[in-house]
Structures are given as structure tokens and as C-alpha cells.
Amino acid sequence: MAEQSQGRLEALFNAAIELSPADRGRFLDAECGDNSQLRAEIDSLLAHDAGATGFLRSPIKRSASDSAAPDESPASPPEPLPATIGRYQVLRKIGEGGMGVVYEARQESPSRTVALKVIRPGIASRGVLRRFEQEAHVLGQLQHPGIAHIYEAGTATVAAPGGLTAPQPFFAMEFVRGEPLAVYAERQQLGTRERMELVARVCDAVEHAHQHGVIHRDLKPGNILVASEGGESADDSAGHKTGFARSVPRTGTRSIRRIGQPKILDFGVARATDSDVQTMTLQTDVGQLIGTVPYMSPEQVTGDSSQLDTRSDVYALGVILYELLAHRLPHDVRGRSIAEAARIIREEEPSRLSSVDTLFRGDVETIVAKALDKDRTRRYGSAAELAADIRRYLADEPIVARPASTFYQLQKFARRNTALVAGVVLAFTALAFGVAATTWFALREARERRRAEALLVETRHARDAEAREHARAERRFDDVRKLANTFIRDVYEEIYSLPGATKARELVIRKGLEYVDSLATEARGDRRLSQELAEAYRRLGDVQGKAGSSNVGDTKGALESYQKALNLVAQINAGEPNSYNNLRALATCYDSVGLALRALGRTTEAIETFGKYQQVVEQMVALRPDDEDTKEALARGWANLGRMQAAQGKLPEAIINYEKYIAYTAQRTKDKPDDLQSRLNFAIVTLKIGEILVAQDKIDEGMTRFRKALEIEEELCKIEPQNPSYPTSVATTLQSISYLLADHGKAREALPYIDRMRALRETQVRSDEKDIRAQRNLAVVFYAYGLAYENLKKPQKALEAFNEYLKRIERVAAADPANIVVRRDLAIAVQKVGASQRSLKMWAEADKMLAKNVEMMEKLTAADPADADARRDLAIARYSRGNLYVEMANELEKSPDGQRDPLQRAVQELEASLEISRDMKKRGELAAEVDQEIRKTESAIQACKAQLNKINGAAPAAVSNSGD
Amino acid sequence: MADSSLKDVTQLLSAAAAGDSQAAVRLLPMVYDELRKLAASRMLKTPPGQTLQPTALVHEAYLRVVGDADSRFAGRKHFFFAAARAMRDILVEQARRRASLKRGGDLQRVDFVESGIAIEPPSDDVVGLAEALQKLETDDPENAEIVNLRYFAGLTTEETADVLGVSTATIERKWRFARAWLRRELGERAPPSGDLDG
């Protein structure tokens, strides 16, 4: 049957298209007769006759002359003005862009002038159109005096000559009478403060939209009109006036004269039609793109739409502010290729505002720079924050933004360079594609449709469900949410303290996260969901790589998760400041991010983060000084501070802060004896103080602390035998004790401690194969054995142990290469293996190992110049290599000439080591240790030089003694 | 390696032209592989950001398989049939992969990175189109074949007429009908949802 009717259909169709519309009707009446089904079929086919549209144009790019079908002629005559579109009476065409045509039109009821933006038609399926309307509905909810209101969006059949056309999507929006932002500012001769307030008002409007989950993505001065003095939109209403009054700045801005209300056009249109950089490049002409590129954020020109968020709009606001103040763009991309323009935006720092006019030096410049930061995590978190800082400036209050430190800027440069290859390639491909695509101009219409469809797929779930089965969707929403929370809270907490559950914890969190995430994309802007999502991310971070806890060894992933949590919480907090719970959550996030940064060796950033933590805690103190959580947060701050000071080698300061923390936990233990965590923390920090004391050469005091820590931890093990954190801590303490004994002539006593530590850690690895931290800790046991044997003068056994250590650490490093502790482990293992080989006179092997060690430590030091430990290890690495050459020389005692070369190399290495130690002394790092190191190295150099002089038969030369 | 598979394709083409229906069936995967390989090797030489033209690929594959000389080769028809389908599969695959990248069904650049191959994507909804075409294939195989050749292999009206052995006027007429049919089909069916955001 099908084929039969198909053939008939085709014949009728072919005949009908040859006829004029009038003849067509008569012809079909005659042919179809009573067969209404056939008639309907043929009518619908004729309605879908592709005609001049781009549908199914072949994907081939051929020269125009090659274009085959006669109905594919790309040149279509200019369309005459349609009389009406939907219920709007078209008055005149205002503009035309890649996306469609804008008309000024008249609406009868309510009577008003509207701007009618008609999206170019492609073929639009009903589903597409429906979703388009739903999307528009969301946009319609944006009601702000700073946003041109979208009255209606829908589809209308535009009456055009030549028969029917498919329904075209359109937006009817508030018709704004005003002039573009920059023009207004110039004509009104606005001063700096007025210009800033103007931008702050734009921020207010943008913030409103962000609160509704709508990102503009195409903010530029041309999209912002200012209704000149009092004259507002065509349907000037009371509502607007109220809105206007509300946005009048606070008292501090008294000097600002009344300025017009800026109105943003096309809000959400970019989103509803998905005109982003990658689609823009595909679908709009280059001229239009160039007008837009300077306002695009680095993440936008990269073309990664998943990276786009409200902070991309913040960036655009920064560009607008810059432009209004400086009368030029931060990046001059005129006359550049698009790829080049993208590169400039991604990589080049804009010229500082103060270089345009020194008037802007200080706060103004700092505000603009923060909005324009390449790293969106360092930008203002929201348009509201930017507006708030602008107004703080206008009110002569201190602003929140801080100028970036030189070090940070350097780091930023370094980071940019690593990302350079990928970034440039991506930007280039995305954009070069666009250039090629402009030759495809004729295909635009069909592409528009595809673009609209892509967007609609994005919001399909939420919108469809809402429209059709609202109630059911809500039920499902709640179910999923409950399920997610069961995973994230209940199940997770249930298994948290079980041994061997690391991987399970990760799975549980990921699963829960998946659910919450799916909900969160549906309900953007829902505060409670954001909170749940943040919590899920924080817990995911914990299991990925929380320092000092079982984790799967993905420290980098942990940082990312923590940062996501932080961003969410910061947004919530910005939305309702002075909420104690928000602040507490924010503090926890900063704490986690700081620790992860520290674990990744990004010491400076970690210190900055802990600084922010401190600021948040101060706000907590202000709100509820006596709350237990406040005290805890405060104490944690001391511990973090101590940790960072210890890392920077500021040992006495570190002890002071640790002691403050200890005092807190002691008090807490007294108040709440069954708070075992507090007691554990007491033990952990006691151990840390002990370690610092040992580093300061206060051996006995250190040992006393170690024993105290061990005592508490063993007690905890008895109270709660199934909790794996306690044996972990016991093992850590045993480790410190055994190192101390081995290093101080009591290696034999150290061995039983090491055996115990090994047993504990083997149990842990067995219970959870996926716990990378447990694997690492077990590896370290072999270091301890090596150290003990080394001191017992059993080099062969030491070498075996160190080799085992190296082997195991290499496995761990493969799993978590970014972790600074693991990287240092690796360096130490290499150094120890090399040193043992040296004692065994395996010269060649030792030389190779020790050279590798120096190289590794150099990399570590370069990666984190603020890390004192790494620097000390580099000094040791060089010293160790120098030592190798000394021993090689000693071996050649009988042939003095042969000694010359190794001795010279020894001096070279030792002097390099000495230089590093002196540098550390200058920086005030690890004072006690460094002095000893310097003395040791100096005497070694002296000995080498003396021997060299002896060989050369010259008088002994004085060694440089500048290292007092 | 490549040469041996080329030889296989040539043999299959000859067999198909001689009426071996099995050969015609086996041709598709061979041509498919050939096109993918060709695309991959071309991609290496293509400056970043540029894409390969389906037409160019198909024609180049033809030259590689059949050679320049024999433009009246009887296997020609089978080659283009197979190539059109193979290209359709490749484009659908590419479109699906792209659509599956969360939140950005249109991020062409990711394809460069991930697969190393990027073929100029058609402007239309390829996935939906391919589904509609399957329906047309059962109702009206001849028209479906014309769409395959014109659209996916990128043959001109003349080339299509040549391959199918009919007049260009016929192709033009049928092409117009098929387009209207597909357009209606795409317009009226539910949006291509299920597999687009997978």
C-alpha cells in the first residue's frame, strides 16, 4: 500500500509544483476528489516543499557555479515588510542580524510599541517550537527595570508572498527608547563616578537575571540602552519607577547626579537561541563577530560552553567598565584575525587602567582588574559582588578586591603557558572553523534551526516535564533528591569509619552527586539544592584526596571538587550574607581547598586561601562568638596557620600556633570527654610539635611529645577498635619515633617500632586495596628500615630496603602524580638508593641515581618556590652528590692525579648545595637545621680544596667564609 | 595493509558489478573502513580547525579504489551506493558523539581532539534525517537512494543521474519530492530526543 500511494503522491506533487497556486488548488480538487487523506498528504508535502530554504542542501562545499538544483539559488530577493506578525502590526524594520530581523511593531491590547525580533526560519518541528516557547517563558519572568522585558515569545506564521512559510519563532520585547551606553555616557559627559554607577546598575540587572538562572553571554555596550533623563521605555509604567527608585545608590554616592536607567536588551536571547561563540563563529558574519569578541571572556573564546557561567558575564561587565572609563577596550583586537583575537584575550594582560589615566590608580584599577581576571575563579563571583565593590568605592569604603601579588602574576603566567598548547589549539580550531563557515552564509537558515534544536535539547527534560506533567515531575524531583541525600549523607556516613570502604565511599558520593547534579541543572538557582550539591562535592573531594584521611589518591580531582563546592557556597553566601550556616560552610570549603592546595605544593595559593578562611571565621566570630562551631573553626585556623608556617620553615611561629590549637582541643576534651575526634586532633598536633622540636635539635623534648601522642592514640584504639583512623595515627607516631631513634644512634631500638608500624600498615592495605594513602604509608615503612640499617652500618640491607621503598613509591606516584608528598617521597627514595649504592661503592649506579635526584628536587623547588622543605632537600641532594665524588676520590688515594677530577666535581656540587643553604638562611627558613647544614658543607668544601691543593702542590687556600 | 584492503574493495566492486549480491553486502563495511582511514590520514595533514569535505573524501576514496582511468567502470554505482551509506553512518556517528558531549551538541573542536577526524558536518539534523531516510527507504527506496547519493556522498545532480542511469530532470524532480517528504517527516515527528543527549 505504501509504495502505491507513495508513487501517486509523487506524481501529484510533481504535477502540482509546476502549477500556479490558484491552478494548484483546482488541479488537486479534481485529482483527489473525495480522498481527503490523500489531499491532506499532498497539501502537507507541498507546504514542506523546501523551495528556497536551505533544507537538505548537500553538505558539500562546492563553487557556486557547481550548485546543481535550480531551486537552490542562494540569492533570495529582499523580503518585503510583512504587514503583521502574529497579533503585532509591523511598523518598520529596525535592524537585521545573523539571527533574524528586528521590527518596531504595535500591539493593540495592551496598547504598546514593542520590538519584535523574528528568528530566521528553518524548519521548526513542533517539538522545537514548543520548547522554544517554554524557554521564552523563563525569560519572561525576568522583571527588572534594567532589563528590557520580554513580553512574549512564540511562533507566528509570517505572511509572505509566494505561499505559506513555516511558523517563525519571535520575541516581542519592551521597546526601549534610548541610546547605547557609551553614546549616552559621552553625550551626557558623565564623570568617572557616574560612569561607574551606571555600570553598577547594569550589574544589578545582570544579577537579577543570574538569580533566575539566565546568563546573557553577549553583553556589550550595543546591547545596553540608556533611557535618557526620565524618558524610559515606551510603556513607561509605575513598576519601572519603583524599580528605578530602588536602584538609586546608597547615601555614600551623594555626589552622583541623576543618571538614566540602563536597560539590557536581548537578555537570554543568546541562550534561547544558543548563540555562543562556537555557534556565532559558525553562523554569523565576521564583522558581527568582531564586534562581540572583545567582550568575550577567555573561557568563552575557548569555545567551551560547559565552562560558561555567570562569571563570564562578570567579565563582560568588566570590559564594559574598562571601556567606559578608558575610552578604549582592554584588548585591542581590531584588524586581528579571530584566532589571534582569541589568543590575545586568553593570554595577554590588558594594559592597566592607570596607564591610560593615573586617575584610575588604586581601587578603580583593582576593581576592573578583578572583573577581568583570566581565571574566573579569581573574578568577582557574581555581578552583585562587582556592583557592591563599585559602590563601596563610590561610598569611599574599602573595597574587597585586592591587587594581585607579583608572585601570583608570575604563577598565572606559568600556568597559562602549560595550558597554552591546548588552549590555543582549541581556540584556533573553534574560530578558524568560523572563518571557513562564513563562506557558508547561504546555509545559515538551516543552521539556525539546528542551533535552536541543540539548545532545546539542553533544557528538554526540565521544560517538557514542567509543561506536561508538572506534578509528577515535582514528585520525581523530591524522590531523586531524597535518594541522593540518602547516598550523600546516610550511606556515606554509615560507611565512613569502616575499614576498606574507600572505593565504596567514592562510588556512593559519585552516585549521589550524579542525582543532585541532574536536579541542580533543572532547578538552577535553588539555594537548598546548591547547598546539597556543594556538600556532595566536598565529600567527593574528601574521598578523592583528603590529606590525612583514606582516599583514592586523586589530589587534583579533590581540589577541583572542593573548588566547585566553594564556588557554590560562595554564591549562596553572596546571596544571603550574614547567615551563620553559610559562613560555616564557606569556612569548611576554604579549609579543604587550602589543604588540597598545600598537598599539591601550591603553598602560596594555600596561604592565600587560609587567609580567606580567616576572614570568614572572623565573620563567624562576629555573629556567634560563643558557638562551639565558631571556636572549632577558630582553632582550626591556628592549626592551618601553624602547618603553613612549618612548611615555610618558620618553626617557632608554627609551634606557637600549634600550641594554641592544642590548648583548644585540651579544653574541649575536658568539656566533652566523649568527643574522640578532639582527642585525636590533640595527639596529631602534639606529634607535629614534637617533629618541629626535633628539627630544632631539641631531641628529648621532641621524644616526650611523641610518647604523649602515642599514649593518647593507643587509648583511642582501645575505646573504638574498629575505627581505622586511630591505628593510622599510631603508625604515624611510631614512624616519627623510629626515625628519631635511628638518627640518634639508637637504630637497634628503632627496629621493633618499625616492625609494629609495618604490621599496622599492612593490615590497613589489606583491608582496602584502593586506599592509596595506605599504600604510600606502607612504602614509607621500608624507608624507616633502610634508615635503621644505614645507621647500623649494614649498607646492603639498607639498599634492599630503600629499593623496596622506591619500588612501592613509584606505584603510588603513578596513581597520584600531582601530590607533593608523593613527589618528594620519590625524590627521597632515589636519593637514598643512590646513597646506599655509594656506600657500597657502586659508583656508576650511585652517580646516576644521585644525578636523577638533583634533577627531581630542582623541579620540585621550581614548581613551588615557597616550599622550604623542597629547597632543603635540593641542598641535601647536591650535598649527597658531592659526597659521592669525595668518596670516589678517596677510593683513588693511590693515584693523586685521578683524584683531581672527582674532587673538582665534588667542590662544584658542594658549593651549589652551600649556596642553596645560604639562600635559605637569608630567607629565614629552617634556621637551626640550615646553620648545621652550612657548617657541614663548608667543612666538606674546605677538605676537598685542601686535598686539591695538596695534589697541585700549592699552598692551602682559605675557603670563603662569608657564611657566618 | 591499506593496499590489500584497497584490493579487496576493488574485487568486491567487480563482483558486485557482476551481480554478486553477497559482494554488495560486504562492500559497505570495507568502504566504511576505507573512508575512515582516508579521513584520518587526511586529518593529519589538514591544518587545525579545518574540516574535511564529505564530497572530497568520497571522490578521493573512489580515485584510490578505482583509479582515474576507468570512469565507466561498472562497479562505480556500487561504490557510490556504499560510500553514501558509509558517509551517512560516519556523519551520524559524529553527530551523536558530538551531541553526547554534555551541554554542547555543537562543539566541533572536541571532535578534533578526541577522534582526530572531523568531517564538515551537514547543517541539518543528521541523526533525525538518517532516521527519516530509513523510513523512506522502506516506502520508496529509489528516492532514498537519490537522497543518499546527493546528500551524503555529495554527488551533483549530473553525477547522480549518471550513476543511476536516468536523466538529470528525473533526478531533480525526485530530489525535490524527496526533500519535501523528508522535511515534512522531520517536521512532524517528535524531536530527535532519546539519542541526542545520551
Side-chain angles (χ1 to χ4, degrees), chain A residues 6 10 41 44-45 48-49 55 57 59-60 62 68 71 123 131 278-279 303 305 428-429 450 460, chain B residues 48-49 55 103 106-109 123 129 143 151 154 156-157 174-177 179 181 183-184 191 197:
Chain A
Q6 190 82 9
E10 187 175 345
E41 279 265 284
S44 80
L45 276 176
H48 285 91
D49 181 22
F55 176 66
R57 247 166 238 242
I60 339 157
R62 286 180 181 272
D71 55 1
I123 62 153
R131 289 192 308 253
Q278 59 293 95
T279 43
S305 71
F428 182 74
T429 45
R450 197 166 67 89
R460 184 171 55 86
Chain B
T55 303
R103 293 176 55 74
D106 42 12
L107 298 186
Q108 280 80 1
R109 51 175 200 83
S123 50
L129 181 64
N143 275 333
Y151 190 74
T156 60
T157 313
K174 286 184 164 295
W175 173 231
R176 187 163 176 185
F177 174 76
R179 283 169 77 201
W181 191 93
R183 191 175 178 210
R184 184 190 57 166
D197 58 348

Side-chain angles (χ1 to χ4, degrees), chain B:
Chain B
M1 281 294 280
D3 285 341
S4 80
S5 84
L6 274 182
K7 224 170 73 196
D8 290 346
V9 176
T10 318
Q11 279 170 359
L12 284 172
L13 281 174
S14 301
D20 180 349
S21 63
Q22 275 303 307
V25 172
R26 283 173 52 211
L27 200 53
L28 177 61
M30 298 293 298
V31 172
Y32 176 88
D33 280 354
E34 202 51 45
L35 277 173
R36 284 197 68 97
K37 253 186 256 165
L38 185 64
S41 77
R42 284 298 165 274
M43 212 56 217
L44 290 177
K45 295 172 198 156
T46 306
Q50 291 194 10
T51 45
L52 303 171
Q53 299 301 323
T55 303
L57 270 178
V58 169
H59 281 83
E60 204 175 334
Y62 181 76
L63 289 183
R64 273 163 57 89
V65 174
V66 179
D68 210 1
D70 194 2
S71 64
R72 292 279 113 203
F73 172 56
R76 182 177 160 83
K77 178 178 170 183
H78 291 282
F79 175 83
F80 281 115
F81 280 0
R85 268 148 204 265
M87 187 52 75
R88 182 169 105 191
D89 289 351
I90 290 171
L91 289 171
V92 166
E93 233 171 67
Q94 184 176 277
R96 284 216 167 102
R97 196 171 53 236
R98 199 175 303 131
S100 73
L101 298 168
K102 221 182 173 183
R103 293 176 55 74
D106 42 12
L107 298 186
Q108 280 80 1
R109 51 175 200 83
V110 182
D111 289 63
F112 302 130
V113 178
E114 286 197 340
S115 68
I117 302 176
I119 295 172
E120 185 71 58
S123 50
D124 305 275
D125 165 16
V126 191
V127 179
L129 181 64
E131 282 167 11
L133 252 179
Q134 266 171 12
K135 207 175 152 199
L136 186 61
E137 263 165 10
T138 47
D139 286 2
D140 189 353
E142 201 189 339
N143 275 333
E145 205 59 78
I146 291 172
V147 176
N148 273 336
L149 291 172
R150 288 277 286 116
Y151 190 74
F152 287 111
L155 298 192
T156 60
T157 313
E158 290 76 18
E159 285 166 337
T160 313
D162 192 30
V163 165
L164 293 175
V166 296
S167 75
T168 53
T170 304
I171 296 296
E172 275 172 18
R173 246 195 354 260
K174 286 184 164 295
W175 173 231
R176 187 163 176 185
F177 174 76
R179 283 169 77 201
W181 191 93
L182 287 169
R183 191 175 178 210
R184 184 190 57 166
E185 192 64 21
L186 281 171
E188 289 198 349
R189 59 198 271 284
S193 52
D195 41 32
L196 260 181
D197 58 348

